[in-house]
Amino acid sequence: MTHKTDVVAMLLAGGQGSRLGVLTKSIAKPAVPYGGNYRIIDFPLSNCVNSGIYTVGVLTQYQPLVLNDYLGNGQPWDLDRINGGVHVLSPYEAIGGAEWYKGTANAIYQNITFIEKYDPKYVVILSGDHIYKMNYAKMIDFHKKNNADCTIAVLEVPWEEASRFGILATDENDKIYEFAEKPAQPKSNKASMGVYVFSWDKLRKYLTEDEANPDSSNDFGKNIIPTMLADNQRMFAFPFKGYWKDVGTIDSLWEANLDIINPNVDLDLSDTSWRIYSRNPMSPPHYIGKDAKVENSSIGEGCEIDGTVDYSVVSPDVIIEKGAEVKYSVIMPGATIKEGAKVYYSIIAEDAVIEEGAQIGEIPENLENSADWGIAVIGSKATITKGKKIAPKDMIASGEKV
């Protein structure tokens, strides 16, 4: 049975997120908490709904349980629909038995039957680990207007960072004539954001051919896009302006969290015209004690704060006892910072406990030349015992007691 829709979005949420270390030991990267009230996947899902795309396949693979529970029937994002809606697509339901997704292109290939069910004209490919607000409908209109086979969203990045991205060279009409994956000598600073719009008939053809090629690594950036370009397909770059961050590393996740309290950063999560939806358990209002000191911080519901919090993002249901100090840190839901503990330049994951007088991380004296400076990370449900010191850059695994 076919439910016709013009556009199907496929959200790649299967990555292991190994660069996030202990934070993704037991949950998929897109399910990592962000900004107090969200998880990373809320951003692409909310962008879909706000752009009028209501058929979304979420491709999971690694540690999908938390993510699957979190998505549920898609109701918080208005994706609990009879036709379309959100569908979690795991590799074990794949054609011909359990075959893990080999690469981004293979993941989409394995779900061709899901896409065919909706008979779309266009397929939007998204990544589950970016923080940004984007109107995909405008990008699809741009794709149609250019009669494109493939449109890639691009962001101008600082030249010194360009070699970290897939870089596109375009002519004056935004037509792509060259693509280089992480080039050592970039020719342009237009970086691919990993957001693609394809005309479905073309994408299906290239996915099928790519799958049949034993030498392919079955990846969009390495295989599909270069092949389409070599075949002179109509490929265009859609310029994006605004906040975008790939939160694939500890440092970038930490920065992206603190960006929400930075007045100079263009990321307004309270803007109701482009809401970011999330599944939030209701908590009572937060409580800030009479001797507490809170400055330049975001404090979630259900928190009890009796200590000092400065330039930090504190998620719901966190307890910070008297005499405790939290500075330049990200505290995920349900963590407890006990009396006299110090947390500096750190990420404390869900339900972790920092006992009396312990110190996590430190405030760098000189940010510029401090090679040994870095974010300390405490995994979920870990316990740091009384008086213990955890150095910058150290990671304590989930559930550990040290």
Side-chain angles (χ1 to χ4, degrees):
M1 183 177 163
T2 310
H3 303 292
K4 272 191 85 68
T5 176
D6 240 14
V7 183
V8 168
M10 299 293 274
L11 176 52
L12 296 158
Q16 192 168 342
S18 50
R19 291 177 305 163
L20 288 179
V22 300
L23 295 177
T24 48
K25 188 153 185 282
S26 53
I27 58 175
K29 183 161 60 170
V32 169
Y34 166 79
N37 295 319
Y38 306 96
R39 291 181 187 261
I40 296 169
I41 198 166
D42 291 334
F43 286 80
L45 278 181
S46 300
N47 287 340
C48 283
V49 174
N50 290 331
S51 305
I53 299 171
Y54 295 109
T55 304
V56 184
V58 179
L59 284 67
T60 64
Q61 167 150 300
Y62 172 79
Q63 296 285 13
L65 287 175
V66 175
L67 188 60
N68 294 356
D69 281 354
Y70 182 70
L71 292 172
N73 64 355
Q75 184 261 325
W77 303 271
D78 193 23
L79 287 169
D80 52 337
R81 292 167 177 255
I82 293 173
N83 295 339
V86 71
H87 299 263
V88 176
L89 305 167
S90 307
Y92 52 78
E93 292 166 10
I95 320 146
E99 161 119 39
W100 278 71
Y101 296 147
K102 295 191 290 254
T104 51
N106 171 259
I108 303 296
Y109 172 81
Q110 284 200 34
N111 288 287
I112 281 179
T113 42
F114 169 79
I115 299 172
E116 296 280 66
K117 198 167 84 173
Y118 297 97
D119 190 25
K121 283 199 182 73
Y122 308 102
V123 172
V124 183
I125 309 285
L126 304 168
S127 174
D129 50 3
H130 299 152
I131 302 286
Y132 66 117
K133 294 178 173 185
M134 181 178 184
N135 189 339
Y136 304 138
K138 284 186 177 164
M139 185 173 170
I140 294 163
D141 288 345
F142 174 91
H143 179 88
K144 290 177 183 168
K145 190 181 98 224
N146 286 303
N147 190 22
D149 299 309
C150 167
T151 301
I152 301 174
V154 297
L155 185 73
E156 292 193 2
V157 295
W159 276 93
E160 62 274 13
E161 284 182 32
S163 57
R164 290 177 35 217
F165 296 93
I167 293 294
L168 304 159
T170 57
D171 67 14
E172 66 281 3
N173 301 317
D174 295 311
K175 193 165 192 283
I176 300 166
Y177 62 85
E178 194 175 334
F179 175 79
E181 183 73 72
K182 301 185 178 166
Q185 255 68 53
K187 292 184 184 171
S188 123
N189 67 335
K190 288 181 178 166
S192 163
M193 294 164 59
V195 174
Y196 311 116
V197 174
F198 287 96
S199 296
W200 172 232
D201 53 350
K202 279 285 160 70
L203 177 59
R204 185 178 45 207
K205 170 184 182 294
Y206 279 92
L207 286 175
T208 309
E209 288 172 10
D210 178 70
E211 189 62 29
N213 173 3
D215 301 326
S216 174
S217 49
N218 307 121
D219 184 82
F220 278 100
K222 294 192 189 89
N223 307 107
I224 301 285
I225 287 159
T227 306
M228 286 182 75
L229 205 52
D231 287 355
N232 285 326
Q233 298 298 317
R234 290 182 64 78
M235 304 181 76
F236 286 82
F238 176 73
F240 174 76
K241 301 265 187 285
Y243 183 89
W244 179 83
K245 198 152 210 148
D246 176 342
V247 286
T249 65
I250 291 293
D251 287 5
S252 63
L253 179 65
W254 175 82
E255 280 168 18
N257 270 278
L258 295 191
D259 280 345
I260 68 171
I261 49 179
N262 182 343
N264 304 319
V265 169
D266 173 28
L267 177 67
D268 179 8
L269 297 183
S270 59
D271 173 13
T272 50
S273 66
W274 196 269
R275 260 191 71 188
I276 302 300
Y277 300 91
S278 66
R279 181 187 295 280
N280 271 330
M282 288 302 289
S283 295
H286 61 245
Y287 165 80
I288 294 182
K290 62 180 192 324
D291 299 325
K293 197 171 161 206
V294 177
E295 294 182 307
N296 312 322
S297 295
S298 162
I299 308 291
E301 294 180 335
C303 287
E304 292 177 32
I305 314 280
D306 287 297
T308 298
V309 182
D310 186 17
Y311 214 83
S312 294
V313 172
V314 180
S315 305
D317 304 316
V318 165
I319 295 171
I320 298 175
E321 295 185 356
K322 68 174 193 293
E325 274 188 16
V326 174
K327 294 186 175 181
Y328 298 97
S329 292
V330 177
I331 315 293
M332 291 182 177
T336 301
I337 318 291
K338 294 201 172 169
E339 196 169 330
K342 310 268 186 276
V343 176
Y344 303 135
Y345 286 86
S346 298
I347 296 177
I348 309 294
E350 296 171 275
D351 303 317
V353 177
I354 313 301
E355 293 193 340
E356 289 88 351
Q359 181 174 328
I360 316 296
E362 57 186 62
I363 296 177
E365 283 168 22
N366 184 340
L367 266 179
E368 295 310 307
N369 355 340
S370 175
D372 52 356
W373 175 80
I375 305 302
V377 183
I378 308 300
S380 60
K381 297 187 169 70
T383 302
I384 307 303
T385 53
K386 209 169 166 171
K388 181 89 178 153
K389 273 193 88 159
I390 304 294
K393 280 193 188 166
D394 274 6
M395 283 198 182
I396 304 301
S398 300
E400 266 195 39
K401 185 170 186 171
V402 293

